[in-house]
Amino acid sequence: MALSVLKKMFGGSPPERARGDAGIPAGERVYAIGDVHGRLDLLTALLETIDRDDAARGEAATRIVFLGDLVDRGPHSKQVIDHILTRDWRDRPVTVLKGNHEEVFLLTLAGDLEGARFWLRIGGKETMTSYGTPAELIEQAGPLDIVEDFARRVPSAHVGFLHGLSDMVSIGGYCFVHAGIKPGVAIDRQKPEDVRWIRDRFLDYEGSHGATIVHGHSIATDVEDLHNRIGIDTGAYATGKLTAVGLEAQDRWFLST
């Protein structure tokens, strides 16, 4: 996707249970986690909370979904990916969606210098330094030198992980994406640029999408639990609040750091 298009599109209390129209298939439980943005401290704390919550609710086929934007802005992007790759998930399937920040990360790894310049403006510097690229190099060198230094520091396992991320996943009456979907377009016909970058057109839409959309990307001071979407990006990198939604049958509840 052209970078000009990317630029245009960019930009713990106890859980409360609520009743929703959408549902999760019987015997299943899902936890979806909002934008981590390099906050390993918050991620590990939230995952421990999820583990306790999951155990307290009894037996279920539990699944974890990350809504994307694991990287950038916070200080520990590399360490967040390491943690996801090495953590003991207790046989629970884990799905990680590709956010707009992972998309630009991959553009940079592919040698796209315009993409690298853009990435540095939206939090890529913090990701590069988490992999060991010197801050002074980022401040003083040209984009080619920066990209060459950074690319050789990214483990092949991380590159494979990023390339293997999903665009969306549907479970029961819910559809999980990073940013949202384009209203009026069937879920199975959504374009990657929309599910990773869309904002106002999706946020302002009040009609049905045919499923309840669970998303991150657009920061709100608290969870947005609406009839057609659930937004759980609570600005972790700046606020210290990383949020997850738990879903089982017709119930939903929220967990935060």
Side-chain angles (χ1 to χ4, degrees), residues 120 133-147 149:
L120 287 169
T133 294
E136 57 270 22
L137 179 71
I138 297 171
E139 295 294 337
Q140 299 171 12
L144 179 59
D145 290 334
I146 296 170
V147 169
D149 179 273

Side-chain angles (χ1 to χ4, degrees), residues 27-42:
E28 298 183 24
R29 184 179 301 139
V30 179
Y31 293 93
I33 299 171
D35 304 35
V36 178
H37 277 307
R39 289 296 302 266
L40 178 65
D41 55 339
L42 303 181

